[in-house]
mmCIF file of all heavy atoms in Angstrom:
data_model
loop_
_atom_site.group_PDB
_atom_site.id
_atom_site.type_symbol
_atom_site.label_atom_id
_atom_site.label_comp_id
_atom_site.label_asym_id
_atom_site.label_seq_id
_atom_site.Cartn_x
_atom_site.Cartn_y
_atom_site.Cartn_z
ATOM 1 N N SER A 153 103.516 115.100 176.766
ATOM 2 C CA SER A 153 104.373 113.960 177.103
ATOM 3 C C SER A 153 103.824 112.638 176.587
ATOM 4 O O SER A 153 104.476 111.599 176.700
ATOM 5 C CB SER A 153 104.495 113.865 178.634
ATOM 6 O OG SER A 153 103.201 113.712 179.204
ATOM 7 N N ASP A 154 102.641 112.681 176.000
ATOM 8 C CA ASP A 154 101.936 111.439 175.678
ATOM 9 C C ASP A 154 101.377 111.414 174.259
ATOM 10 O O ASP A 154 100.384 110.733 173.981
ATOM 11 C CB ASP A 154 100.789 111.257 176.692
ATOM 12 C CG ASP A 154 100.273 109.825 176.744
ATOM 13 O OD1 ASP A 154 101.042 108.911 176.410
ATOM 14 O OD2 ASP A 154 99.086 109.645 177.094
ATOM 15 N N THR A 155 102.012 112.147 173.350
ATOM 16 C CA THR A 155 101.467 112.259 171.990
ATOM 17 C C THR A 155 101.904 111.121 171.085
ATOM 18 O O THR A 155 101.302 110.899 170.039
ATOM 19 C CB THR A 155 101.915 113.567 171.318
ATOM 20 O OG1 THR A 155 103.354 113.571 171.269
ATOM 21 C CG2 THR A 155 101.419 114.780 172.081
ATOM 22 N N GLY A 156 102.986 110.412 171.451
ATOM 23 C CA GLY A 156 103.534 109.421 170.542
ATOM 24 C C GLY A 156 104.104 110.099 169.297
ATOM 25 O O GLY A 156 104.345 111.313 169.306
ATOM 26 N N ALA A 157 104.286 109.316 168.257
ATOM 27 C CA ALA A 157 104.838 109.837 167.001
ATOM 28 C C ALA A 157 104.055 109.248 165.847
ATOM 29 O O ALA A 157 103.316 108.275 166.018
ATOM 30 C CB ALA A 157 106.314 109.462 166.887
ATOM 31 N N MET A 158 104.216 109.873 164.671
ATOM 32 C CA MET A 158 103.567 109.314 163.480
ATOM 33 C C MET A 158 104.041 107.884 163.262
ATOM 34 O O MET A 158 105.236 107.597 163.395
ATOM 35 C CB MET A 158 103.994 110.103 162.229
ATOM 36 C CG MET A 158 103.404 111.470 162.099
ATOM 37 S SD MET A 158 103.963 112.167 160.510
ATOM 38 C CE MET A 158 103.708 113.920 160.843
ATOM 39 N N SER A 159 103.116 107.012 162.877
ATOM 40 C CA SER A 159 103.531 105.675 162.461
ATOM 41 C C SER A 159 104.378 105.790 161.199
ATOM 42 O O SER A 159 104.321 106.803 160.478
ATOM 43 C CB SER A 159 102.298 104.813 162.176
ATOM 44 O OG SER A 159 101.614 105.312 161.031
ATOM 45 N N ALA A 160 105.148 104.759 160.914
ATOM 46 C CA ALA A 160 105.978 104.772 159.706
ATOM 47 C C ALA A 160 105.104 104.903 158.457
ATOM 48 O O ALA A 160 105.458 105.631 157.516
ATOM 49 C CB ALA A 160 106.820 103.492 159.643
ATOM 50 N N ASP A 161 103.967 104.235 158.449
ATOM 51 C CA ASP A 161 103.069 104.315 157.284
ATOM 52 C C ASP A 161 102.508 105.716 157.096
ATOM 53 O O ASP A 161 102.436 106.232 155.977
ATOM 54 C CB ASP A 161 101.904 103.328 157.454
ATOM 55 C CG ASP A 161 102.337 101.891 157.237
ATOM 56 O OD1 ASP A 161 103.474 101.669 156.753
ATOM 57 O OD2 ASP A 161 101.537 100.987 157.560
ATOM 58 N N LEU A 162 102.092 106.346 158.210
ATOM 59 C CA LEU A 162 101.553 107.709 158.112
ATOM 60 C C LEU A 162 102.651 108.674 157.679
ATOM 61 O O LEU A 162 102.424 109.535 156.814
ATOM 62 C CB LEU A 162 100.952 108.148 159.452
ATOM 63 C CG LEU A 162 100.434 109.594 159.499
ATOM 64 C CD1 LEU A 162 99.333 109.828 158.469
ATOM 65 C CD2 LEU A 162 99.920 109.943 160.908
ATOM 66 N N ALA A 163 103.829 108.540 158.257
ATOM 67 C CA ALA A 163 104.944 109.423 157.881
ATOM 68 C C ALA A 163 105.261 109.295 156.398
ATOM 69 O O ALA A 163 105.505 110.299 155.707
ATOM 70 C CB ALA A 163 106.176 109.097 158.728
ATOM 71 N N ALA A 164 105.218 108.058 155.893
ATOM 72 C CA ALA A 164 105.508 107.842 154.465
ATOM 73 C C ALA A 164 104.437 108.496 153.598
ATOM 74 O O ALA A 164 104.739 109.102 152.554
ATOM 75 C CB ALA A 164 105.597 106.345 154.180
ATOM 76 N N ALA A 165 103.157 108.387 154.017
ATOM 77 C CA ALA A 165 102.071 108.989 153.233
ATOM 78 C C ALA A 165 102.159 110.514 153.262
ATOM 79 O O ALA A 165 101.883 111.182 152.251
ATOM 80 C CB ALA A 165 100.722 108.522 153.783
ATOM 81 N N ILE A 166 102.551 111.064 154.393
ATOM 82 C CA ILE A 166 102.694 112.522 154.502
ATOM 83 C C ILE A 166 103.863 113.007 153.644
ATOM 84 O O ILE A 166 103.769 114.024 152.944
ATOM 85 C CB ILE A 166 102.832 112.928 155.985
ATOM 86 C CG1 ILE A 166 101.429 112.913 156.617
ATOM 87 C CG2 ILE A 166 103.517 114.282 156.138
ATOM 88 C CD1 ILE A 166 101.358 113.316 158.062
ATOM 89 N N THR A 167 104.955 112.264 153.669
ATOM 90 C CA THR A 167 106.090 112.620 152.813
ATOM 91 C C THR A 167 105.694 112.551 151.339
ATOM 92 O O THR A 167 106.034 113.434 150.545
ATOM 93 C CB THR A 167 107.279 111.685 153.101
ATOM 94 O OG1 THR A 167 107.692 111.893 154.458
ATOM 95 C CG2 THR A 167 108.442 111.973 152.173
ATOM 96 N N ALA A 168 104.960 111.509 150.985
ATOM 97 C CA ALA A 168 104.544 111.357 149.588
ATOM 98 C C ALA A 168 103.638 112.505 149.147
ATOM 99 O O ALA A 168 103.725 112.990 148.016
ATOM 100 C CB ALA A 168 103.823 110.017 149.401
ATOM 101 N N ALA A 169 102.778 112.968 150.055
ATOM 102 C CA ALA A 169 101.794 113.983 149.684
ATOM 103 C C ALA A 169 102.349 115.399 149.749
ATOM 104 O O ALA A 169 101.984 116.252 148.939
ATOM 105 C CB ALA A 169 100.571 113.869 150.597
ATOM 106 N N PHE A 170 103.217 115.664 150.731
ATOM 107 C CA PHE A 170 103.590 117.058 151.017
ATOM 108 C C PHE A 170 105.094 117.316 150.953
ATOM 109 O O PHE A 170 105.510 118.460 151.108
ATOM 110 C CB PHE A 170 103.056 117.461 152.398
ATOM 111 C CG PHE A 170 101.579 117.188 152.567
ATOM 112 C CD1 PHE A 170 101.137 116.174 153.414
ATOM 113 C CD2 PHE A 170 100.628 117.914 151.858
ATOM 114 C CE1 PHE A 170 99.785 115.896 153.563
ATOM 115 C CE2 PHE A 170 99.268 117.638 152.001
ATOM 116 C CZ PHE A 170 98.843 116.626 152.852
ATOM 117 N N GLY A 171 105.911 116.293 150.789
ATOM 118 C CA GLY A 171 107.362 116.476 150.704
ATOM 119 C C GLY A 171 108.060 115.965 151.951
ATOM 120 O O GLY A 171 108.907 115.099 151.878
ATOM 121 N N ASP A 172 107.663 116.490 153.110
ATOM 122 C CA ASP A 172 108.143 115.960 154.390
ATOM 123 C C ASP A 172 107.237 116.498 155.496
ATOM 124 O O ASP A 172 106.312 117.278 155.224
ATOM 125 C CB ASP A 172 109.617 116.292 154.650
ATOM 126 C CG ASP A 172 109.898 117.783 154.676
ATOM 127 O OD1 ASP A 172 109.068 118.547 155.228
ATOM 128 O OD2 ASP A 172 110.948 118.204 154.150
ATOM 129 N N ALA A 173 107.506 116.095 156.733
ATOM 130 C CA ALA A 173 106.615 116.470 157.842
ATOM 131 C C ALA A 173 106.600 117.982 158.064
ATOM 132 O O ALA A 173 105.547 118.559 158.379
ATOM 133 C CB ALA A 173 107.037 115.745 159.123
ATOM 134 N N ASP A 174 107.739 118.636 157.888
ATOM 135 C CA ASP A 174 107.773 120.086 158.081
ATOM 136 C C ASP A 174 106.941 120.810 157.028
ATOM 137 O O ASP A 174 106.231 121.775 157.329
ATOM 138 C CB ASP A 174 109.224 120.589 158.048
ATOM 139 C CG ASP A 174 109.978 120.220 159.320
ATOM 140 O OD1 ASP A 174 109.306 119.922 160.333
ATOM 141 O OD2 ASP A 174 111.220 120.221 159.295
ATOM 142 N N LYS A 175 107.058 120.331 155.801
ATOM 143 C CA LYS A 175 106.268 120.975 154.728
ATOM 144 C C LYS A 175 104.778 120.724 154.941
ATOM 145 O O LYS A 175 103.943 121.582 154.622
ATOM 146 C CB LYS A 175 106.715 120.446 153.358
ATOM 147 C CG LYS A 175 108.107 120.915 152.950
ATOM 148 C CD LYS A 175 108.320 120.677 151.450
ATOM 149 C CE LYS A 175 109.699 121.189 151.029
ATOM 150 N NZ LYS A 175 110.702 120.123 150.965
ATOM 151 N N PHE A 176 104.439 119.543 155.466
ATOM 152 C CA PHE A 176 103.044 119.265 155.806
ATOM 153 C C PHE A 176 102.549 120.256 156.863
ATOM 154 O O PHE A 176 101.477 120.858 156.716
ATOM 155 C CB PHE A 176 102.886 117.829 156.319
ATOM 156 C CG PHE A 176 101.679 117.619 157.189
ATOM 157 C CD1 PHE A 176 100.399 117.774 156.667
ATOM 158 C CD2 PHE A 176 101.812 117.309 158.536
ATOM 159 C CE1 PHE A 176 99.273 117.614 157.475
ATOM 160 C CE2 PHE A 176 100.700 117.147 159.350
ATOM 161 C CZ PHE A 176 99.431 117.307 158.820
ATOM 162 N N LYS A 177 103.328 120.438 157.915
ATOM 163 C CA LYS A 177 102.908 121.352 158.987
ATOM 164 C C LYS A 177 102.781 122.783 158.467
ATOM 165 O O LYS A 177 101.876 123.524 158.871
ATOM 166 C CB LYS A 177 103.895 121.289 160.152
ATOM 167 C CG LYS A 177 103.805 119.976 160.929
ATOM 168 C CD LYS A 177 104.750 119.976 162.123
ATOM 169 C CE LYS A 177 104.648 118.663 162.898
ATOM 170 N NZ LYS A 177 105.541 118.610 164.065
ATOM 171 N N GLU A 178 103.676 123.159 157.575
ATOM 172 C CA GLU A 178 103.630 124.499 156.993
ATOM 173 C C GLU A 178 102.336 124.682 156.191
ATOM 174 O O GLU A 178 101.641 125.696 156.316
ATOM 175 C CB GLU A 178 104.853 124.655 156.090
ATOM 176 C CG GLU A 178 105.173 126.062 155.676
ATOM 177 C CD GLU A 178 106.465 126.086 154.840
ATOM 178 O OE1 GLU A 178 107.475 125.468 155.272
ATOM 179 O OE2 GLU A 178 106.433 126.676 153.765
ATOM 180 N N ALA A 179 102.004 123.695 155.379
ATOM 181 C CA ALA A 179 100.807 123.789 154.535
ATOM 182 C C ALA A 179 99.536 123.731 155.388
ATOM 183 O O ALA A 179 98.562 124.454 155.137
ATOM 184 C CB ALA A 179 100.805 122.660 153.504
ATOM 185 N N PHE A 180 99.549 122.886 156.403
ATOM 186 C CA PHE A 180 98.388 122.776 157.297
ATOM 187 C C PHE A 180 98.205 124.089 158.060
ATOM 188 O O PHE A 180 97.085 124.607 158.192
ATOM 189 C CB PHE A 180 98.605 121.604 158.256
ATOM 190 C CG PHE A 180 97.398 121.227 159.070
ATOM 191 C CD1 PHE A 180 96.545 120.213 158.664
ATOM 192 C CD2 PHE A 180 97.132 121.873 160.277
ATOM 193 C CE1 PHE A 180 95.435 119.853 159.427
ATOM 194 C CE2 PHE A 180 96.024 121.518 161.046
ATOM 195 C CZ PHE A 180 95.175 120.508 160.621
ATOM 196 N N GLY A 181 99.307 124.643 158.556
ATOM 197 C CA GLY A 181 99.253 125.919 159.275
ATOM 198 C C GLY A 181 98.753 127.045 158.384
ATOM 199 O O GLY A 181 98.015 127.928 158.840
ATOM 200 N N ALA A 182 99.128 127.005 157.113
ATOM 201 C CA ALA A 182 98.660 128.028 156.174
ATOM 202 C C ALA A 182 97.153 127.899 155.965
ATOM 203 O O ALA A 182 96.429 128.900 155.870
ATOM 204 C CB ALA A 182 99.404 127.899 154.842
ATOM 205 N N ALA A 183 96.659 126.663 155.907
ATOM 206 C CA ALA A 183 95.206 126.451 155.765
ATOM 207 C C ALA A 183 94.477 126.965 156.997
ATOM 208 O O ALA A 183 93.396 127.564 156.900
ATOM 209 C CB ALA A 183 94.909 124.970 155.544
ATOM 210 N N ALA A 184 95.072 126.728 158.174
ATOM 211 C CA ALA A 184 94.451 127.186 159.425
ATOM 212 C C ALA A 184 94.464 128.711 159.511
ATOM 213 O O ALA A 184 93.470 129.334 159.884
ATOM 214 C CB ALA A 184 95.185 126.580 160.619
ATOM 215 N N ALA A 185 95.593 129.302 159.143
ATOM 216 C CA ALA A 185 95.710 130.759 159.215
ATOM 217 C C ALA A 185 94.836 131.430 158.164
ATOM 218 O O ALA A 185 94.318 132.527 158.369
ATOM 219 C CB ALA A 185 97.165 131.172 159.026
ATOM 220 N N GLY A 186 94.675 130.774 157.033
ATOM 221 C CA GLY A 186 93.948 131.367 155.916
ATOM 222 C C GLY A 186 92.445 131.208 155.987
ATOM 223 O O GLY A 186 91.723 131.798 155.182
ATOM 224 N N ARG A 187 91.953 130.426 156.918
ATOM 225 C CA ARG A 187 90.498 130.270 157.070
ATOM 226 C C ARG A 187 89.938 131.557 157.648
ATOM 227 O O ARG A 187 90.150 131.870 158.809
ATOM 228 C CB ARG A 187 90.198 129.055 157.972
ATOM 229 C CG ARG A 187 88.785 128.930 158.504
ATOM 230 C CD ARG A 187 87.677 129.041 157.480
ATOM 231 N NE ARG A 187 87.784 128.134 156.341
ATOM 232 C CZ ARG A 187 87.054 128.255 155.236
ATOM 233 N NH1 ARG A 187 86.183 129.239 155.116
ATOM 234 N NH2 ARG A 187 87.214 127.411 154.229
ATOM 235 N N PHE A 188 89.240 132.346 156.846
ATOM 236 C CA PHE A 188 88.692 133.617 157.310
ATOM 237 C C PHE A 188 87.570 133.360 158.315
ATOM 238 O O PHE A 188 86.688 132.546 158.057
ATOM 239 C CB PHE A 188 88.169 134.435 156.134
ATOM 240 C CG PHE A 188 87.598 135.757 156.556
ATOM 241 C CD1 PHE A 188 88.438 136.818 156.875
ATOM 242 C CD2 PHE A 188 86.236 135.934 156.678
ATOM 243 C CE1 PHE A 188 87.933 138.029 157.287
ATOM 244 C CE2 PHE A 188 85.706 137.152 157.094
ATOM 245 C CZ PHE A 188 86.556 138.198 157.397
ATOM 246 N N GLY A 189 87.614 134.048 159.452
ATOM 247 C CA GLY A 189 86.576 133.872 160.460
ATOM 248 C C GLY A 189 86.720 132.534 161.155
ATOM 249 O O GLY A 189 87.822 132.093 161.446
ATOM 250 N N SER A 190 85.593 131.894 161.417
ATOM 251 C CA SER A 190 85.586 130.669 162.212
ATOM 252 C C SER A 190 85.576 129.429 161.324
ATOM 253 O O SER A 190 84.927 129.417 160.284
ATOM 254 C CB SER A 190 84.345 130.640 163.103
ATOM 255 O OG SER A 190 84.365 131.731 163.989
ATOM 256 N N GLY A 191 86.286 128.395 161.761
ATOM 257 C CA GLY A 191 86.264 127.162 160.991
ATOM 258 C C GLY A 191 87.327 126.199 161.451
ATOM 259 O O GLY A 191 87.800 126.272 162.591
ATOM 260 N N TRP A 192 87.694 125.306 160.542
ATOM 261 C CA TRP A 192 88.589 124.205 160.855
ATOM 262 C C TRP A 192 89.591 123.987 159.733
ATOM 263 O O TRP A 192 89.277 124.250 158.566
ATOM 264 C CB TRP A 192 87.775 122.902 161.033
ATOM 265 C CG TRP A 192 86.883 122.922 162.243
ATOM 266 C CD1 TRP A 192 85.713 123.628 162.385
ATOM 267 C CD2 TRP A 192 87.099 122.240 163.486
ATOM 268 N NE1 TRP A 192 85.202 123.412 163.644
ATOM 269 C CE2 TRP A 192 86.023 122.561 164.329
ATOM 270 C CE3 TRP A 192 88.097 121.375 163.945
ATOM 271 C CZ2 TRP A 192 85.908 122.062 165.620
ATOM 272 C CZ3 TRP A 192 87.981 120.867 165.234
ATOM 273 C CH2 TRP A 192 86.907 121.208 166.057
ATOM 274 N N ALA A 193 90.771 123.480 160.087
ATOM 275 C CA ALA A 193 91.717 122.938 159.097
ATOM 276 C C ALA A 193 91.755 121.429 159.291
ATOM 277 O O ALA A 193 91.616 120.933 160.426
ATOM 278 C CB ALA A 193 93.101 123.545 159.305
#
Side-chain angles (χ1 to χ4, degrees):
S153 59
D154 198 25
T155 59
M158 287 183 201
S159 67
D161 286 349
L162 176 60
I166 281 181
T167 297
F170 308 110
D172 60 40
D174 286 341
K175 290 195 178 98
F176 156 64
K177 289 183 180 180
E178 195 177 312
F180 190 95
R187 166 51 54 193
F188 180 78
S190 299
W192 293 74

